[in-house]
Amino acid sequence: MATFSIEELKAAVETAHSLGRPVAVHAVTNEGMRRAALAGVDTIEHGYGGTEETFRLMAQRHITYMPTLTAVAATSEYFQHYLPGQSPPTPSMIAARTAFGLAMKSGVTIGLGSDVGVFTHGTNWRELEWMVRDGMTPIQALTAATATDAGVIGHAADLGRIKTGYLADLIAMPADPTSDIAAASHVDFVMKDGKVYRRP
């Protein structure tokens, strides 16, 4: 069931926005998502129960979707006996994949939010793999993780792209993630603000 009324959500959104803060809503049910969208939130995380109508509403209102597909895979391992590579997807994984497909079909802006912590820290790249497995191209998934997410956090003008005037926050890997997204699991070069922290 949805937790908050539209009026409660609107009050929260208006308060946050008046303070210059974005609003992220963790919603699983379609009704929770619909109410959050009508209230004017900035992002909706999870959204596994979303319908095409609700995703169209999100697209119309420029609300970014953070699908957290890896979180569903992880909880399926813990609670539904899912064995990666051995058992079929669980009902919750199928629901997440379906919602992700509806979001893409509806033209929703999709970012990358993995809900890491439900699965091991340091393996955030797994969300890229799930996004590709569930229908995105590697370029779309990488864009979600970089340029889209930079926009979500209010840094579209200085993060998320390799461009003059942008912060030099870069990673590299030995293989090409645009042809094989699994390459993102082997980062061997890290630069932050132009300073190299890891090199091959």
Side-chain angles (χ1 to χ4, degrees):
M1 294 182 62
T3 306
F4 299 104
S5 69
I6 293 176
E7 292 74 22
E8 289 170 318
L9 287 165
K10 282 183 178 177
V13 169
E14 287 172 12
T15 302
H17 285 173
S18 73
L19 297 169
R21 301 286 190 249
V23 178
V25 171
H26 291 245
V28 177
T29 67
N30 185 64
E31 181 60 16
M33 294 170 66
R34 188 186 72 80
R35 291 180 190 181
L38 291 172
V41 303
D42 299 288
T43 67
I44 294 178
E45 281 66 25
H46 313 306
Y48 310 134
T51 63
E52 188 171 350
E53 180 182 24
T54 296
F55 282 117
R56 280 198 308 266
L57 178 65
M58 288 174 62
Q60 291 163 5
R61 292 178 172 247
H62 308 289
I63 297 166
T64 302
Y65 176 48
M66 302 290 189
T68 65
L69 301 168
T70 310
V72 178
T75 57
S76 290
E77 286 181 55
Y78 307 149
F79 305 116
Q80 299 176 49
H81 311 293
Y82 171 67
L83 297 171
Q86 296 179 40
S87 56
T90 64
S92 59
M93 292 169 70
I94 292 168
R97 181 178 62 208
T98 300
F100 186 64
L102 289 173
M104 287 192 302
K105 177 182 176 185
S106 301
V108 175
T109 299
I110 299 175
L112 185 144
S114 62
D115 219 20
V116 71
V118 176
F119 57 97
T120 307
H121 283 275
T123 62
N124 311 48
W125 54 267
R126 292 171 57 193
E127 186 72 4
L128 290 166
E129 286 193 336
W130 276 107
M131 292 172 96
V132 170
R133 192 174 298 155
D134 284 351
M136 276 189 165
T137 66
I139 293 281
Q140 288 173 315
L142 291 165
T143 301
T146 54
T148 301
D149 281 1
V152 166
I153 63 170
H155 282 277
D158 63 357
L159 281 176
R161 290 178 169 78
I162 301 172
K163 189 174 177 181
T164 302
Y166 280 53
L167 295 174
D169 290 358
L170 305 167
I171 62 169
M173 58 256 350
D176 179 5
T178 65
S179 59
D180 179 8
I181 200 66
S185 66
H186 303 291
V187 173
D188 63 358
F189 177 87
V190 177
M191 177 186 285
K192 171 76 177 135
D193 286 333
K195 181 179 177 184
V196 175
Y197 286 86
R198 177 190 290 177
R199 65 176 68 244

